[in-house]
Amino acid sequence: MNSQATDAPRPTGRAPHFDVAIVGAGPAGLAAAAAASDSGARVAVVDAAEQPGGQYWRHRSEAAGVPEGGEYHHGWKQYLALRARFDSGIAAGRITYLPSTSVWMARPVAGAVSGAAGASGAAGASGAAGAGAGSPGPLASHPAFALELTPAHGGGPSPVPSIRAAALVLATGGYDRQLPVPGWQLPGVMAAGGIQAFVKQNGMLPGSRFVIAGTGPFLLPVAANITQAGGSVAAVLESASLMGWLPRAHRAAGVPAKGIEGAGYVAAFIKNRIPYRIRTVITEILGTEHVTGVRTARVRSTGETIPGSEREITGIDGVGLGWGFTPQLELPVQLGVSTRVDVDGSLVGIVDETGLSTVPGLYLAGEITGVGGAPLSVLEGEIAGRSAASSVLGAQGAVTASERRILARNRGFAEAMHLAHPVPAGWADRLTPETTVCRCEEVSFGELGHAHTELAADDLRTEKGLTRAGMGWCQGRVCGFAVSCLSAGAGAVGAEAVPSAESAAHSLSQSAKRPVAQPLPLSALRDLQD
Amino acid sequence: MSAQPIDPAQGEVRATFEGEPISCSPGASVAAALIATGKRGWRETKSGATRGLFCGIGVCFDCLVEIDGESGQRSCMIPLREGMDVRQAKGPGGTGEEPRGDARGQELGNALGDAVSDARDEEAGE
Ligand SMILES: Cc1cc2nc3c(=O)[nH]c(=O)nc-3n(C[C@H](O)[C@H](O)[C@H](O)COP(=O)(O)OP(=O)(O)OC[C@H]3O[C@@H](n4cnc5c(N)ncnc54)[C@H](O)[C@@H]3O)c2cc1C
Ligand code: FES
């Protein structure tokens, strides 16, 4: 058995085997790794990024020695604490960290003892005995999962092409949810989170003067970081009225840290004179070579734009768009976990309070159990990592009363946030027949409408077959939500605007099924045999 | 591995895009180096439209370039390295005459069914 994964021979030889494998080293994955390692498990952590942190704690390059003081970050101290636990797990030989590596496929290992219940009884003793400081003993149980790996970029095979684990924690996070708007394909238009990520990673801005638009409190840190990095923000446009918070104010009050963070943004907005307009949307993005301006309008709660409220904002070179986040569910779906549609309309994995999914031995943590922000992701990761380790080592990993309380409070806050910042009704009424909906295949709203009304395409799969929407490079990651809504007949003003939970779930689960979770060179397939 | 790097960043990383010099601070992405030269878009779609960064985190594939002869690379994800030869994306997703669609994904989608069942069979014998 080869425990030093990086020394594993390839392409022959058995795949290295771990007690717990974790995919993702963001807030949830880092916490899961720290907790599983602290419990004495032998852990593998695979992450596509070059260094730990995920989206929330994405930072300047450690390899290049660029100092990171955490000035663009919240909870940076918490990151450093988690990181210290993570690094000491690596130093003790309990954590094998595989950065710049993507998991492109996850599958159950046929004939394995079930990772959770089955393995724990028999293996508990040896696992516990082997958990002494710095000298992990023999592995606790039979592998239940196989993960196929590929370098996150560049060509060639992964140094470790495949790993096995008795229990698996998926913490793959999410990305900005998008809705099409005329002109959004112009260079300079970015996902709001993409601007944030760019600043955190590169210490520079992808433009100089921005308009940030969409919905949700996340628009605020994006604008704040832009001004902090020396750029300016012409306006932040929030489609919701914020009245949605009123009946739910007590839930916000349950998470005081959010209030303090919010107060910081208000201060930054006042200091930098950033206009924050509610019930306002971008109706068109202007420019020829790249973005130079936007048209905006106020909207009624029913979705119609208010006549006479149109304005133009010019002299900008950047636009950030974000309508909440879409969890990255390829791997859970590949492994057959049951899913549901969350209050924000996202497809998420179903878990119990320990993070256990409907597949034995498979735990989910962070955004993929429901978008709820970094603090909740950390707590879920901590619990899932601990539970996964104890399921393999045969120890107790129960959730404490205080954890249960904090989980409930954060979930309550997340739900209030989703209900107060819905995807606005009537968004599709602002599209023209020429508006690009699928960016990769350049499929227009007109083409999709034709497929829906004339050819009876009423789900994403049919739309895809008829129009090629969602069949390009990104495999529908960007247009999937919009096409799901449009093909389910939604997008109109009023109650019609969001598809029924049922049709959305059906359509979204179709779009989450991707044969390949991450892009990979064909050589990865050649080397699949082991 | 340390959470707090001790050495300050030094100098800049120099490479080329289509033969023209580009540069950025150490650790910054290929996309950052392109943006730093004032470029907002560097890829052409099949319809001839220009694209640059969109998602910023490797999800959308708008930012594709060719790096040292390796096509289909996401410039937002890859740190610029000294002497890199960065080119405009060619082939599917870039300019060029290739058929519509994601050749990589397509090919894979088809190859994958077989690969998965092969792998499963073998796994059963493990
Ligand atoms: C671009 C972006 C910027 C954001 N910025 C902020 C912000 O400033 N403030 C805020 O409050 N919230 C922000 N968010 C939301 C925030 O990211 C989440 O609340 C939090 O990071 C969730 O933690 P997580 O661990 O679930 O996922 P993430 O932090 O998303 O981490 C997931 C990790 O999994 C890895 N991964 C995914 N799939 C694979 C795979 N197949 N193989 C290998 N690795 C994989 C990714 O590389 C990533 O490192 C942002 C979100 C995005 C998308
Ligand atoms: S900008 Fe989306 S993949 Fe690089």
Side-chain angles (χ1 to χ4, degrees):
Chain A
M1 195 67 55
N2 192 344
S3 70
Q4 257 346 76
T6 39
D7 300 337
R10 63 160 308 281
T12 53
R14 289 177 70 122
H17 168 191
F18 300 89
D19 294 324
V20 180
I22 295 165
V23 185
L30 260 186
S37 157
D38 289 354
S39 309
R42 204 174 285 178
V43 182
V45 179
V46 187
D47 191 286
E50 296 234 304
Q51 55 195 26
Q55 306 309 349
Y56 191 67
W57 287 318
R58 184 181 282 271
H59 55 282
R60 305 295 305 275
S61 170
E62 294 169 25
V66 183
E68 171 67 63
E71 57 272 30
Y72 294 122
H73 293 90
H74 282 275
W76 190 244
K77 278 205 184 121
Q78 186 182 26
Y79 168 74
L80 293 179
L82 274 177
R83 183 62 192 276
R85 286 168 68 201
F86 183 71
D87 287 351
S88 72
I90 294 174
R94 285 195 305 274
I95 296 180
T96 300
Y97 173 43
L98 302 169
S100 301
T101 305
S102 294
V103 177
W104 63 270
M105 183 169 66
R107 58 201 163 91
V109 175
V113 184
S114 146
S120 57
S126 68
S135 59
L139 282 160
S141 69
H142 292 292
F145 301 98
L147 301 180
E148 309 304 338
L149 314 180
T150 183
H153 43 72
S158 176
V160 184
S162 182
I163 60 173
R164 304 284 180 275
L168 177 59
V169 181
L170 297 176
T172 48
Y175 47 89
D176 290 83
R177 176 159 69 187
Q178 292 299 336
L179 293 176
V181 53
W184 72 316
Q185 73 283 5
L186 283 169
V189 179
M190 287 181 68
I195 297 176
Q196 183 83 334
F198 189 90
V199 175
K200 288 177 173 177
Q201 177 177 336
N202 301 304
M204 62 179 268
L205 282 164
S208 56
R209 190 157 187 264
F210 296 79
V211 169
I212 307 299
T215 193
F218 174 62
L219 303 179
L220 306 176
V222 178
N225 277 7
I226 287 173
T227 55
Q228 215 181 332
S232 66
V233 179
V236 174
L237 311 178
E238 162 65 61
S239 66
S241 68
L242 301 190
M243 296 299 280
W245 279 106
L246 286 182
R248 305 180 184 94
H250 60 287
R251 300 217 195 145
V255 186
K258 297 279 177 191
I260 295 166
E261 194 180 319
Y265 298 137
V266 173
F269 274 48
I270 293 170
K271 178 166 154 249
N272 296 292
R273 298 202 170 79
I274 302 173
Y276 181 72
R277 302 206 187 111
I278 56 171
R279 283 205 284 131
T280 305
V281 298
I282 291 181
T283 56
E284 189 182 352
I285 297 174
L286 310 167
T288 47
E289 296 293 296
H290 55 83
V291 56
T292 54
V294 292
R295 286 213 177 88
T296 73
R298 302 247 302 157
V299 286
R300 298 211 166 92
S301 60
T302 46
E304 302 99 326
T305 50
I306 299 173
S309 70
E310 295 87 357
R311 288 202 204 180
E312 216 166 85
I313 303 177
T314 54
I316 58 170
D317 60 356
V319 171
L321 303 174
W323 301 97
F325 294 99
T326 297
Q328 198 140 286
L329 277 193
E330 290 84 359
L331 295 175
V333 168
Q334 276 181 3
L335 287 163
V337 307
S338 300
T339 54
R340 65 181 172 86
V341 173
D342 205 1
V343 285
D344 62 345
S346 292
L347 193 73
V348 301
I350 296 175
V351 288
D352 70 10
E353 69 171 11
T354 68
L356 183 64
S357 74
T358 53
V359 174
L362 174 57
Y363 294 77
L364 311 177
E367 304 289 60
I368 59 176
T369 71
V371 172
L376 180 57
S377 297
V378 169
L379 183 56
E380 286 186 358
E382 189 86 35
I383 293 170
R386 194 174 72 214
S387 305
S390 16
S391 77
V392 174
L393 303 176
Q396 282 301 310
V399 178
T400 68
S402 102
E403 282 174 337
R404 203 169 284 141
R405 237 181 356 257
I406 305 173
L407 277 178
R409 248 188 243 148
N410 276 278
R411 274 282 162 233
F413 178 83
E415 193 170 304
M417 173 182 84
H418 293 319
L419 294 173
H421 294 274
V423 167
W427 59 267
D429 295 347
R430 295 185 275 277
L431 308 184
T432 69
E434 295 75 36
T435 306
T436 300
V437 177
C438 165
R439 299 170 65 93
C440 300
E441 290 292 320
E442 301 186 289
V443 182
S444 70
F445 180 56
E447 287 171 73
L448 285 166
H450 176 75
H452 175 63
T453 51
E454 307 297 320
L455 307 172
D458 60 2
D459 61 31
L460 186 95
R461 209 183 166 80
T462 316
E463 279 282 13
K464 212 168 155 173
L466 292 171
T467 65
R468 297 199 55 85
M471 287 182 80
W473 276 98
C474 91
Q475 291 285 291
R477 287 178 177 85
V478 178
C479 71
F481 179 78
V483 178
S484 288
C485 292
L486 293 172
S487 54
V493 167
E496 284 276 285
V498 175
S500 75
E502 244 167 275
S503 62
H506 176 63
S507 207
L508 285 171
S509 58
Q510 286 179 342
S511 72
K513 264 185 210 134
R514 299 183 179 104
V516 181
Q518 297 271 300
L520 78 166
L522 283 174
S523 59
L525 289 181
R526 186 196 61 211
D527 296 340
L528 192 57
Q529 296 88 336
D530 50 32
Chain B
M1 214 159 308
S2 145
Q4 290 284 40
I6 309 127
D7 300 328
Q10 304 211 330
E12 58 172 14
V13 183
R14 283 152 309 172
T16 57
F17 178 71
E18 292 293 328
E20 299 292 320
I22 52 173
S23 67
C24 64
S25 62
S29 64
V30 172
L34 293 172
I35 296 265
T37 66
K39 282 190 182 53
R40 306 311 303 276
W42 45 83
R43 178 170 81 81
E44 217 173 86
T45 66
K46 278 152 280 181
S47 79
T50 309
R51 296 279 173 83
L53 282 176
F54 184 67
C55 74
I57 59 166
V59 170
C60 75
F61 294 83
D62 259 16
C63 69
L64 294 183
V65 291
E66 182 184 300
I67 297 179
D68 295 334
E70 191 83 42
S71 65
Q73 301 299 300
R74 290 165 288 176
S75 61
C76 65
M77 299 268 286
I78 304 179
L80 190 77
R81 296 207 205 287
E82 193 69 27
M84 257 182 182
D85 175 18
V86 185
R87 304 266 160 188
Q88 229 193 323
K90 292 187 196 69
T95 47
E97 313 74 48
E98 264 85 347
R100 245 168 103 81
D102 169 17
R104 219 145 80 132
Q106 281 315 96
E107 236 175 301
L108 282 174
N110 303 336
L112 206 67
D114 302 341
V116 173
S117 41
D118 286 357
R120 285 227 171 99
D121 293 346
E122 262 158 61
E123 201 65 59
E126 207 183 70

